[in-house]
């Protein structure tokens, strides 16, 4: 188990950890796309909102001065107002620009990077806390803790993504795939190619 995610209303564990990371990764890419792809729309919508404010101000002044003989300023429809405001809200929500960094983009980006670091170390969120305590306990005894599930950064990603052969980078990573991870989540042996790699290193 990695953790319980209230946003998904589900626990993230052995069989759906890869899907959870893919969700966070592509949502972060979506924020980047919306941020930079809608920049021109944001500027137009922001300018329109400012124009709305000015027109509303002029309308109030006209009513206050009883100048009914003048042509009233054009009024934006409710649909136009909501469209412009929604575009501005969308851009601020997804913006990744340093001066307009939003909470959603920041939270998703940080969560994605954090899980990428954990995957590179061969850990889950819960294992990280367990290993941290174990590392301190053994350090007090003058011993060094070694994570038995850390096969190296690249091999950890291969195990996590289920990449056994070179073509799996295409069929299991870039393309949708429903393949199951190695093991059952409770106890499992590492993939054969990881075992062979570890044996060759130990033999040296």
């Amino acid at each position: 188990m990695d953790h319980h995610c209230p946003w998904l209303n589900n626990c993230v564990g052995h069989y759906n950890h890869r899907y959870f990371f893919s969700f966070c990764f592509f949502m972060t890419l979506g924020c980047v796309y919306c941020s930079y792809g809608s920049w021109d729309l944001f500027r137009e919508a922001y300018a329109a909102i400012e124009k709305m404010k000015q027109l509303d101000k002029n309308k109030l002044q006209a009513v206050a001065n009883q100048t009914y003989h003048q042509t009233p300023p054009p009024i934006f429809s409710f649909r136009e107002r909501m469209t412009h405001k929604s575009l501005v809200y969308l851009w601020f929500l997804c913006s990744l620009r340093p001066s307009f960094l939003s909470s959603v983009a920041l939270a998703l980006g940080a969560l994605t990077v954090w899980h990428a670091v954990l995957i590179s170390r061969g850990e889950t969120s819960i294992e990280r806390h367990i290993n941290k305590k174990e590392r301190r306990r053994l350090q007090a005894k003058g011993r060094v803790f070694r994570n038995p599930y850390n096969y190296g950064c690249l091999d950890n990603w291969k195990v996590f993504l289920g990449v056994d052969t070179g073509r799996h980078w295409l069929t299991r990573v870039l393309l949708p795939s429903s393949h199951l991870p190695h093991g059952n989540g409770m106890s499992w042996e590492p993939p054969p190619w990881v075992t062979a790699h570890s044996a060759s290193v130990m033999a040296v």
Side-chain angles (χ1 to χ4, degrees):
M1 179 179 174
D2 186 86
H3 70 286
H4 178 78
C5 182
W7 309 112
L8 300 178
N9 192 27
N10 197 4
C11 289
V12 178
H14 183 67
Y15 290 104
N16 61 355
H17 193 190
R18 175 168 55 91
Y19 299 106
F20 170 78
F21 180 80
S22 298
F23 169 77
C24 292
F25 178 73
F26 287 113
M27 284 294 291
T28 303
L29 291 183
C31 286
V32 175
Y33 175 80
C34 289
S35 174
Y36 289 93
S38 62
W39 170 243
D40 292 335
L41 291 175
F42 163 75
R43 290 192 302 176
E44 293 175 1
Y46 188 81
I49 291 177
E50 291 298 318
K51 186 176 181 180
M52 291 179 201
K53 294 179 180 179
Q54 186 62 38
L55 290 176
D56 290 341
K57 182 179 179 180
N58 294 340
K59 182 179 179 180
L60 291 175
Q61 290 179 350
V63 173
N65 297 330
Q66 300 295 321
T67 55
Y68 295 107
H69 62 281
Q70 297 178 357
T71 303
I75 300 176
F76 285 89
S77 66
F78 176 79
R79 182 177 180 180
E80 290 174 330
R81 290 174 180 268
M82 292 306 300
T83 298
H84 294 312
K85 291 180 179 180
S86 297
L87 285 172
V88 172
Y89 178 73
L90 168 70
W91 192 86
F92 276 102
L93 195 66
C94 299
S95 177
L96 287 173
R97 295 172 182 267
S99 56
F100 296 103
L101 192 60
S102 73
S103 58
V104 173
L106 178 62
L108 275 175
L111 185 63
T112 303
V113 171
W114 171 243
H115 277 275
V117 171
L118 291 178
I119 294 168
S120 300
R121 296 175 180 174
E123 296 178 326
T124 63
S125 298
I126 294 178
E127 288 174 342
R128 188 252 179 187
H129 295 287
I130 296 174
N131 293 345
K132 185 177 181 180
K133 293 181 179 179
E134 189 67 10
R135 188 176 293 109
R136 290 178 178 177
R137 185 182 71 84
L138 293 177
Q139 186 178 7
K141 296 182 178 181
R143 301 170 62 184
V144 178
F145 171 78
R146 180 179 179 182
N147 181 11
Y149 303 107
N150 185 3
Y151 308 118
C153 182
L154 180 59
D155 287 344
N156 288 337
W157 277 100
K158 288 182 178 180
V159 172
F160 176 77
L161 297 172
V163 175
D164 297 330
T165 62
R167 66 179 181 177
H168 285 168
W169 288 105
L170 174 64
T171 60
R172 291 187 174 184
V173 179
L174 296 180
L175 297 178
S177 175
S178 59
H179 69 278
L180 296 177
H182 295 283
N184 59 13
M186 297 296 293
S187 62
W188 66 91
E189 296 295 331
W193 54 268
V194 171
T195 305
H197 176 71
S198 300
S200 63
V201 172
M202 291 179 66
V204 173

